[in-house]
Amino acid sequence: MSVEQLRHLLAGVLNAITAAHAHSTKAKELLDDYRRVIVEAQAQARPWLPAELARAVAQIDANHLRLDTVRNLLAEYESRM
């Protein structure tokens, strides 16, 4: 495989990581909207929020960190080529 082919494939992976990050950002925004709707609907001092909501947001944050790490490592690798 030539360096140019490798760069082309690497660019595709970086684009996919960027797209995955954008999709998970949108998912987090939707979960935040969901949280707001639940709190507003209940309108009480201690609203009930499903435990899954906090876990989903935490998982998205963890995935963002992983995606950022992979993107940075690949960008560093690309710069060395």
Side-chain angles (χ1 to χ4, degrees):
M1 176 178 297
S2 72
V3 172
E4 193 54 40
Q5 289 172 320
L6 185 58
R7 284 181 192 219
H8 178 72
L9 292 173
L10 184 59
V13 171
L14 288 170
N15 287 338
I17 289 170
T18 300
H21 196 282
H23 287 296
S24 64
T25 297
K26 181 62 177 174
K28 187 175 178 182
E29 290 171 2
L30 292 172
L31 289 172
D32 288 340
D33 288 346
Y34 173 63
R35 177 187 289 125
R36 190 190 79 254
V37 167
I38 289 173
V39 170
E40 288 174 0
Q42 293 180 359
Q44 59 187 21
R46 293 186 57 186
W48 173 84
L49 293 171
E52 296 83 4
L53 178 61
R55 286 194 300 268
V57 170
Q59 186 62 52
I60 287 173
D61 287 339
N63 289 344
H64 276 179
L65 290 174
R66 287 184 188 106
L67 288 170
D68 290 340
T69 299
V70 170
R71 181 176 28 211
N72 291 339
L73 289 171
L74 290 173
E76 182 180 334
Y77 177 74
E78 182 181 34
S79 71
R80 291 180 182 183
M81 289 190 341

